[in-house]
PDB file of all heavy atoms in Angstrom:
ATOM      1  N   PHE A  12      -4.173  25.292 -10.015  1.00 79.00           N
ATOM      2  CA  PHE A  12      -4.531  24.785 -11.334  1.00 79.00           C
ATOM      3  C   PHE A  12      -3.619  25.105 -12.402  1.00 79.00           C
ATOM      4  O   PHE A  12      -3.199  26.274 -12.507  1.00 79.00           O
ATOM      5  CB  PHE A  12      -6.053  25.250 -11.705  1.00 79.00           C
ATOM      6  CG  PHE A  12      -6.427  24.844 -13.055  1.00 79.00           C
ATOM      7  CD1 PHE A  12      -6.978  23.641 -13.258  1.00 79.00           C
ATOM      8  CD2 PHE A  12      -6.331  25.691 -14.071  1.00 79.00           C
ATOM      9  CE1 PHE A  12      -7.344  23.144 -14.532  1.00 79.00           C
ATOM     10  CE2 PHE A  12      -6.714  25.344 -15.380  1.00 79.00           C
ATOM     11  CZ  PHE A  12      -7.223  24.040 -15.584  1.00 79.00           C
ATOM     12  N   ASP A  15      -6.027  21.621 -18.188  1.00 74.00           N
ATOM     13  CA  ASP A  15      -7.037  20.503 -18.249  1.00 74.00           C
ATOM     14  C   ASP A  15      -7.168  19.937 -19.563  1.00 74.00           C
ATOM     15  O   ASP A  15      -6.703  20.519 -20.585  1.00 74.00           O
ATOM     16  CB  ASP A  15      -8.384  20.982 -17.671  1.00 74.00           C
ATOM     17  CG  ASP A  15      -8.989  21.978 -18.604  1.00 74.00           C
ATOM     18  OD1 ASP A  15      -9.165  21.790 -19.899  1.00 74.00           O
ATOM     19  OD2 ASP A  15      -9.455  23.074 -18.148  1.00 74.00           O
ATOM     20  N   TYR A  18     -12.165  18.975 -20.409  1.00 70.00           N
ATOM     21  CA  TYR A  18     -12.910  19.486 -19.313  1.00 70.00           C
ATOM     22  C   TYR A  18     -14.445  19.615 -19.751  1.00 70.00           C
ATOM     23  O   TYR A  18     -15.341  19.188 -19.153  1.00 70.00           O
ATOM     24  CB  TYR A  18     -12.444  20.886 -18.861  1.00 70.00           C
ATOM     25  CG  TYR A  18     -13.309  21.514 -17.839  1.00 70.00           C
ATOM     26  CD1 TYR A  18     -13.307  21.140 -16.591  1.00 70.00           C
ATOM     27  CD2 TYR A  18     -14.152  22.602 -18.236  1.00 70.00           C
ATOM     28  CE1 TYR A  18     -14.148  21.784 -15.627  1.00 70.00           C
ATOM     29  CE2 TYR A  18     -14.948  23.213 -17.309  1.00 70.00           C
ATOM     30  CZ  TYR A  18     -14.884  22.768 -15.940  1.00 70.00           C
ATOM     31  OH  TYR A  18     -15.707  23.402 -15.056  1.00 70.00           O
ATOM     32  N   ASP A  19     -14.725  20.340 -20.864  1.00 74.00           N
ATOM     33  CA  ASP A  19     -16.022  20.695 -21.284  1.00 74.00           C
ATOM     34  C   ASP A  19     -16.828  19.389 -21.540  1.00 74.00           C
ATOM     35  O   ASP A  19     -17.986  19.250 -21.055  1.00 74.00           O
ATOM     36  CB  ASP A  19     -16.142  21.535 -22.534  1.00 74.00           C
ATOM     37  CG  ASP A  19     -15.773  22.928 -22.232  1.00 74.00           C
ATOM     38  OD1 ASP A  19     -15.161  23.210 -21.144  1.00 74.00           O
ATOM     39  OD2 ASP A  19     -16.120  23.822 -23.030  1.00 74.00           O
ATOM     40  N   ASP A  20     -16.261  18.428 -22.162  1.00 74.00           N
ATOM     41  CA  ASP A  20     -16.890  17.217 -22.471  1.00 74.00           C
ATOM     42  C   ASP A  20     -17.246  16.523 -21.260  1.00 74.00           C
ATOM     43  O   ASP A  20     -18.358  15.902 -21.043  1.00 74.00           O
ATOM     44  CB  ASP A  20     -15.966  16.282 -23.394  1.00 74.00           C
ATOM     45  CG  ASP A  20     -16.661  15.148 -23.979  1.00 74.00           C
ATOM     46  OD1 ASP A  20     -17.789  15.182 -24.320  1.00 74.00           O
ATOM     47  OD2 ASP A  20     -16.042  14.061 -23.923  1.00 74.00           O
ATOM     48  N   VAL A  22     -17.615  17.625 -17.935  1.00 71.00           N
ATOM     49  CA  VAL A  22     -18.607  18.276 -17.082  1.00 71.00           C
ATOM     50  C   VAL A  22     -19.998  18.166 -17.678  1.00 71.00           C
ATOM     51  O   VAL A  22     -20.970  18.168 -16.962  1.00 71.00           O
ATOM     52  CB  VAL A  22     -18.189  19.625 -16.661  1.00 71.00           C
ATOM     53  CG1 VAL A  22     -16.955  19.687 -15.785  1.00 71.00           C
ATOM     54  CG2 VAL A  22     -17.851  20.622 -17.919  1.00 71.00           C
ATOM     55  N   LYS A  23     -20.139  18.206 -18.937  1.00 72.00           N
ATOM     56  CA  LYS A  23     -21.435  18.137 -19.730  1.00 72.00           C
ATOM     57  C   LYS A  23     -21.932  16.710 -19.432  1.00 72.00           C
ATOM     58  O   LYS A  23     -23.160  16.493 -19.236  1.00 72.00           O
ATOM     59  CB  LYS A  23     -21.405  18.423 -21.109  1.00 72.00           C
ATOM     60  CG  LYS A  23     -21.249  19.919 -21.361  1.00 72.00           C
ATOM     61  CD  LYS A  23     -21.121  20.220 -22.843  1.00 72.00           C
ATOM     62  CE  LYS A  23     -20.910  21.776 -22.993  1.00 72.00           C
ATOM     63  NZ  LYS A  23     -19.975  22.098 -24.042  1.00 72.00           N
ATOM     64  N   LEU A  27     -23.174  18.789 -15.011  1.00 71.00           N
ATOM     65  CA  LEU A  27     -22.845  19.965 -14.243  1.00 71.00           C
ATOM     66  C   LEU A  27     -23.514  21.216 -14.919  1.00 71.00           C
ATOM     67  O   LEU A  27     -23.500  21.366 -16.129  1.00 71.00           O
ATOM     68  CB  LEU A  27     -21.284  20.235 -14.247  1.00 71.00           C
ATOM     69  CG  LEU A  27     -20.718  21.047 -13.172  1.00 71.00           C
ATOM     70  CD1 LEU A  27     -21.011  20.394 -11.836  1.00 71.00           C
ATOM     71  CD2 LEU A  27     -19.239  21.296 -13.304  1.00 71.00           C
ATOM     72  N   PRO A  28     -24.275  21.965 -14.029  1.00 74.00           N
ATOM     73  CA  PRO A  28     -24.901  23.175 -14.625  1.00 74.00           C
ATOM     74  C   PRO A  28     -24.061  24.120 -15.326  1.00 74.00           C
ATOM     75  O   PRO A  28     -22.787  24.265 -14.840  1.00 74.00           O
ATOM     76  CB  PRO A  28     -25.667  23.791 -13.412  1.00 74.00           C
ATOM     77  CG  PRO A  28     -25.429  22.935 -12.257  1.00 74.00           C
ATOM     78  CD  PRO A  28     -24.353  21.904 -12.659  1.00 74.00           C
ATOM     79  N   SER A  29     -24.496  24.889 -16.268  1.00 76.00           N
ATOM     80  CA  SER A  29     -23.613  25.748 -17.132  1.00 76.00           C
ATOM     81  C   SER A  29     -22.943  26.826 -16.246  1.00 76.00           C
ATOM     82  O   SER A  29     -21.754  27.146 -16.577  1.00 76.00           O
ATOM     83  CB  SER A  29     -24.452  26.324 -18.234  1.00 76.00           C
ATOM     84  OG  SER A  29     -25.469  27.094 -17.732  1.00 76.00           O
ATOM     85  N   ASP A  30     -23.589  27.285 -15.150  1.00 74.00           N
ATOM     86  CA  ASP A  30     -22.928  28.306 -14.415  1.00 74.00           C
ATOM     87  C   ASP A  30     -21.731  27.708 -13.649  1.00 74.00           C
ATOM     88  O   ASP A  30     -20.610  28.362 -13.570  1.00 74.00           O
ATOM     89  CB  ASP A  30     -23.853  28.979 -13.373  1.00 74.00           C
ATOM     90  CG  ASP A  30     -24.457  28.027 -12.400  1.00 74.00           C
ATOM     91  OD1 ASP A  30     -24.678  26.871 -12.762  1.00 74.00           O
ATOM     92  OD2 ASP A  30     -24.595  28.415 -11.163  1.00 74.00           O
ATOM     93  N   LYS A  31     -21.751  26.453 -13.231  1.00 71.00           N
ATOM     94  CA  LYS A  31     -20.643  25.869 -12.561  1.00 71.00           C
ATOM     95  C   LYS A  31     -19.568  25.378 -13.623  1.00 71.00           C
ATOM     96  O   LYS A  31     -18.367  25.454 -13.327  1.00 71.00           O
ATOM     97  CB  LYS A  31     -21.133  24.504 -11.970  1.00 71.00           C
ATOM     98  CG  LYS A  31     -22.153  24.682 -10.848  1.00 71.00           C
ATOM     99  CD  LYS A  31     -21.545  25.020  -9.530  1.00 71.00           C
ATOM    100  CE  LYS A  31     -22.628  24.947  -8.382  1.00 71.00           C
ATOM    101  NZ  LYS A  31     -22.480  25.860  -7.383  1.00 71.00           N
ATOM    102  N   ILE A  32     -20.010  25.135 -14.878  1.00 70.00           N
ATOM    103  CA  ILE A  32     -19.043  24.810 -15.911  1.00 70.00           C
ATOM    104  C   ILE A  32     -18.244  26.063 -16.158  1.00 70.00           C
ATOM    105  O   ILE A  32     -16.914  25.980 -16.221  1.00 70.00           O
ATOM    106  CB  ILE A  32     -19.737  24.456 -17.173  1.00 70.00           C
ATOM    107  CG1 ILE A  32     -20.351  23.012 -17.000  1.00 70.00           C
ATOM    108  CG2 ILE A  32     -18.713  24.335 -18.376  1.00 70.00           C
ATOM    109  CD1 ILE A  32     -21.174  22.568 -18.191  1.00 70.00           C
ATOM    110  N   GLU A  33     -18.823  27.221 -16.289  1.00 70.00           N
ATOM    111  CA  GLU A  33     -18.086  28.484 -16.539  1.00 70.00           C
ATOM    112  C   GLU A  33     -17.211  28.799 -15.307  1.00 70.00           C
ATOM    113  O   GLU A  33     -16.035  29.313 -15.517  1.00 70.00           O
ATOM    114  CB  GLU A  33     -19.095  29.588 -16.736  1.00 70.00           C
ATOM    115  CG  GLU A  33     -19.690  29.546 -18.065  1.00 70.00           C
ATOM    116  CD  GLU A  33     -18.678  29.436 -19.259  1.00 70.00           C
ATOM    117  OE1 GLU A  33     -17.711  30.242 -19.210  1.00 70.00           O
ATOM    118  OE2 GLU A  33     -18.987  28.665 -20.189  1.00 70.00           O
ATOM    119  N   MET A  34     -17.693  28.521 -14.122  1.00 65.00           N
ATOM    120  CA  MET A  34     -16.844  28.830 -12.842  1.00 65.00           C
ATOM    121  C   MET A  34     -15.578  27.961 -12.797  1.00 65.00           C
ATOM    122  O   MET A  34     -14.566  28.474 -12.458  1.00 65.00           O
ATOM    123  CB  MET A  34     -17.632  28.522 -11.669  1.00 65.00           C
ATOM    124  CG  MET A  34     -17.051  28.919 -10.315  1.00 65.00           C
ATOM    125  SD  MET A  34     -18.091  28.643  -8.979  1.00 65.00           S
ATOM    126  CE  MET A  34     -18.043  26.782  -8.700  1.00 65.00           C
ATOM    127  N   GLY A  35     -15.707  26.827 -13.322  1.00 64.00           N
ATOM    128  CA  GLY A  35     -14.517  25.885 -13.270  1.00 64.00           C
ATOM    129  C   GLY A  35     -13.602  25.990 -14.503  1.00 64.00           C
ATOM    130  O   GLY A  35     -12.477  25.483 -14.436  1.00 64.00           O
ATOM    131  N   ARG A  36     -14.008  26.545 -15.595  1.00 63.00           N
ATOM    132  CA  ARG A  36     -13.170  26.570 -16.752  1.00 63.00           C
ATOM    133  C   ARG A  36     -12.015  27.442 -16.635  1.00 63.00           C
ATOM    134  O   ARG A  36     -12.103  28.724 -16.404  1.00 63.00           O
ATOM    135  CB  ARG A  36     -14.109  27.009 -18.000  1.00 63.00           C
ATOM    136  CG  ARG A  36     -13.259  27.019 -19.289  1.00 63.00           C
ATOM    137  CD  ARG A  36     -13.990  27.531 -20.483  1.00 63.00           C
ATOM    138  NE  ARG A  36     -14.951  26.565 -20.867  1.00 63.00           N
ATOM    139  CZ  ARG A  36     -16.256  26.637 -20.854  1.00 63.00           C
ATOM    140  NH1 ARG A  36     -16.789  27.745 -20.453  1.00 63.00           N
ATOM    141  NH2 ARG A  36     -17.070  25.678 -21.298  1.00 63.00           N
ATOM    142  N   ASN A  37     -10.869  26.887 -16.723  1.00 57.00           N
ATOM    143  CA  ASN A  37      -9.610  27.594 -16.740  1.00 57.00           C
ATOM    144  C   ASN A  37      -9.443  28.594 -15.626  1.00 57.00           C
ATOM    145  O   ASN A  37      -8.692  29.592 -15.798  1.00 57.00           O
ATOM    146  CB  ASN A  37      -9.411  28.325 -18.050  1.00 57.00           C
ATOM    147  CG  ASN A  37      -9.253  27.312 -19.260  1.00 57.00           C
ATOM    148  OD1 ASN A  37      -8.568  26.258 -19.103  1.00 57.00           O
ATOM    149  ND2 ASN A  37      -9.823  27.648 -20.432  1.00 57.00           N
ATOM    150  N   CYS A  38     -10.238  28.403 -14.625  1.00 69.00           N
ATOM    151  CA  CYS A  38     -10.029  29.266 -13.431  1.00 69.00           C
ATOM    152  C   CYS A  38      -8.904  28.752 -12.571  1.00 69.00           C
ATOM    153  O   CYS A  38      -8.626  27.634 -12.599  1.00 69.00           O
ATOM    154  CB  CYS A  38     -11.316  29.545 -12.757  1.00 69.00           C
ATOM    155  SG  CYS A  38     -11.865  28.292 -11.781  1.00 69.00           S
ATOM    156  N   LYS A  39      -8.307  29.757 -11.814  1.00 76.00           N
ATOM    157  CA  LYS A  39      -7.159  29.377 -10.979  1.00 76.00           C
ATOM    158  C   LYS A  39      -7.646  28.669  -9.693  1.00 76.00           C
ATOM    159  O   LYS A  39      -7.617  29.376  -8.608  1.00 76.00           O
ATOM    160  CB  LYS A  39      -6.312  30.607 -10.744  1.00 76.00           C
ATOM    161  CG  LYS A  39      -5.624  31.074 -12.053  1.00 76.00           C
ATOM    162  CD  LYS A  39      -4.616  29.981 -12.524  1.00 76.00           C
ATOM    163  CE  LYS A  39      -3.937  30.524 -13.785  1.00 76.00           C
ATOM    164  NZ  LYS A  39      -3.232  29.432 -14.546  1.00 76.00           N
ATOM    165  N   ILE A  40      -8.128  27.569  -9.743  1.00 80.00           N
ATOM    166  CA  ILE A  40      -8.597  26.784  -8.571  1.00 80.00           C
ATOM    167  C   ILE A  40      -7.274  26.408  -7.731  1.00 80.00           C
ATOM    168  O   ILE A  40      -6.327  25.854  -8.406  1.00 80.00           O
ATOM    169  CB  ILE A  40      -9.394  25.580  -8.917  1.00 80.00           C
ATOM    170  CG1 ILE A  40     -10.586  25.814  -9.713  1.00 80.00           C
ATOM    171  CG2 ILE A  40      -9.694  24.677  -7.629  1.00 80.00           C
ATOM    172  CD1 ILE A  40     -11.305  24.658 -10.321  1.00 80.00           C
ATOM    173  N   PHE A  57     -12.139  28.172  -5.025  1.00 80.00           N
ATOM    174  CA  PHE A  57     -12.569  28.801  -6.358  1.00 80.00           C
ATOM    175  C   PHE A  57     -12.496  30.300  -6.284  1.00 80.00           C
ATOM    176  O   PHE A  57     -12.704  30.889  -5.273  1.00 80.00           O
ATOM    177  CB  PHE A  57     -13.899  28.358  -6.747  1.00 80.00           C
ATOM    178  CG  PHE A  57     -14.068  26.840  -6.912  1.00 80.00           C
ATOM    179  CD1 PHE A  57     -14.459  26.049  -5.800  1.00 80.00           C
ATOM    180  CD2 PHE A  57     -13.954  26.229  -8.140  1.00 80.00           C
ATOM    181  CE1 PHE A  57     -14.583  24.735  -5.952  1.00 80.00           C
ATOM    182  CE2 PHE A  57     -13.998  24.808  -8.233  1.00 80.00           C
ATOM    183  CZ  PHE A  57     -14.375  24.107  -7.124  1.00 80.00           C
ATOM    184  N   PRO A  58     -12.180  31.026  -7.378  1.00 77.00           N
ATOM    185  CA  PRO A  58     -12.224  32.435  -7.432  1.00 77.00           C
ATOM    186  C   PRO A  58     -13.598  32.824  -6.956  1.00 77.00           C
ATOM    187  O   PRO A  58     -14.574  32.310  -7.168  1.00 77.00           O
ATOM    188  CB  PRO A  58     -11.988  32.800  -8.953  1.00 77.00           C
ATOM    189  CG  PRO A  58     -11.362  31.612  -9.522  1.00 77.00           C
ATOM    190  CD  PRO A  58     -11.892  30.302  -8.746  1.00 77.00           C
ATOM    191  N   MET A  78     -18.300  18.907  -7.056  1.00 71.00           N
ATOM    192  CA  MET A  78     -17.990  20.288  -7.453  1.00 71.00           C
ATOM    193  C   MET A  78     -19.327  21.024  -7.627  1.00 71.00           C
ATOM    194  O   MET A  78     -19.509  22.277  -7.445  1.00 71.00           O
ATOM    195  CB  MET A  78     -17.223  20.296  -8.735  1.00 71.00           C
ATOM    196  CG  MET A  78     -16.620  21.654  -9.110  1.00 71.00           C
ATOM    197  SD  MET A  78     -15.353  21.437 -10.303  1.00 71.00           S
ATOM    198  CE  MET A  78     -16.356  21.379 -11.813  1.00 71.00           C
TER     199      MET A  78
END
Side-chain angles (χ1 to χ4, degrees):
F12 172 82
D15 66 53
Y18 172 79
D19 285 18
D20 189 40
V22 291
K23 284 179 185 140
L27 204 62
S29 56
D30 62 323
K31 300 273 193 217
I32 291 173
E33 287 305 317
M34 185 174 80
R36 178 183 288 115
N37 293 322
C38 71
K39 294 295 181 193
I40 299 169
F57 297 89
M78 192 166 82

